[in-house]
Amino acid sequence: MKIPIFEEILLKGAALSDIQLVVEDSRIGKVPCYINLTNYTGADLENAIINLEQVILEAALHPRFPYPLYIITTKTVRTLFPTVRSVKDLPEHYFKKVKRPNNKELQLLNKLSLKVDKIKNLQLYKIIQELRDSSDTQRRLYSETKELHFLEVLNSAFYDKPKTKTKERA
């Protein structure tokens, strides 16, 4: 396996067929990638992103795992993909220079390739949804217990008077 460094994906157009050809030929999910859409305008940008989401979902890829697929655009868009405003905003650890790895690094890269294959075989969308559901219930539980604790503190402050010791007379 090669060292995971960024690969730029060049779109020929916003049409669904153009995007399908580009995604099939690219290494999305095998290495971190980015698509520069700064030269696209309003309708073309939204059309390209919608078509790209559709192609990625049909190909059973995930936009964040095992390696992310970034969209570079200056406009704010709602999408599955992580978005950044420029190439400089991309994570720097994927911009390392390519050099020949030593034996220890080769062993780590081989283990990494196995992990990547395992991640690809998982049902990532289902797992992420379960994590979101679990986090929502945990947030609700936290807020309710926080309120209960507050009410218990108030109750103890108002109704539990400090007990004074009285000496019994004999």
Side-chain angles (χ1 to χ4, degrees):
M1 179 177 181
K2 291 175 58 179
I3 296 174
I5 58 171
F6 269 121
E7 181 178 300
E8 182 177 11
I9 297 174
L10 301 172
L11 292 182
K12 297 173 185 160
L16 186 63
S17 59
D18 294 337
I19 293 175
Q20 281 178 337
L21 290 173
V22 170
V23 168
E24 288 173 2
D25 293 339
S26 69
R27 298 187 318 158
I28 295 175
K30 297 176 184 165
V31 295
C33 302
Y34 66 92
I35 300 174
N36 194 345
L37 298 178
T38 54
N39 56 355
Y40 283 71
T41 57
D44 287 338
L45 177 66
E46 292 203 18
N47 191 21
I49 289 177
I50 289 171
N51 289 339
L52 188 60
E53 286 178 354
Q54 181 180 353
V55 170
I56 292 294
L57 291 175
E58 287 174 358
L61 297 172
H62 196 279
R64 295 182 187 263
F65 302 107
Y67 291 106
L69 170 62
Y70 288 93
I71 302 292
I72 299 174
T73 180
T74 55
K75 299 186 179 5
T76 304
V77 291
R78 280 187 64 93
T79 180
L80 297 171
F81 304 103
T83 58
V84 293
R85 297 216 175 263
S86 69
V87 176
K88 293 178 183 175
D89 295 335
L90 290 170
E92 292 180 14
H93 58 275
Y94 289 129
F95 281 114
K96 298 292 181 191
K97 291 182 181 179
V98 178
K99 62 177 185 171
R100 174 142 171 71
N102 59 28
N103 286 339
K104 187 173 183 178
E105 292 170 337
L106 281 173
Q107 288 176 344
L108 290 173
L109 285 172
N110 288 335
K111 288 180 184 179
L112 181 65
S113 66
L114 292 174
K115 297 287 185 188
V116 167
D117 291 339
K118 284 183 180 181
I119 289 173
K120 282 184 182 180
N121 290 332
L122 295 175
Q123 296 175 344
L124 293 172
Y125 292 104
K126 181 181 176 184
I127 292 171
I128 290 172
Q129 187 59 42
E130 289 172 358
L131 288 173
R132 283 188 183 137
D133 294 343
S134 173
S135 69
D136 290 342
T137 56
Q138 289 177 8
R139 277 192 193 106
R140 266 188 265 118
L141 178 64
Y142 171 73
S143 64
E144 289 177 12
T145 56
K146 185 177 171 184
E147 183 180 355
L148 179 65
H149 176 68
F150 173 72
L151 294 173
E152 286 175 348
V153 168
L154 283 179
N155 186 32
S156 67
F158 289 132
Y159 294 112
D160 293 342
K161 294 182 180 179
K163 297 179 181 178
T164 58
K165 294 185 178 179
T166 59
K167 294 182 180 178
E168 292 183 25
R169 294 188 182 177

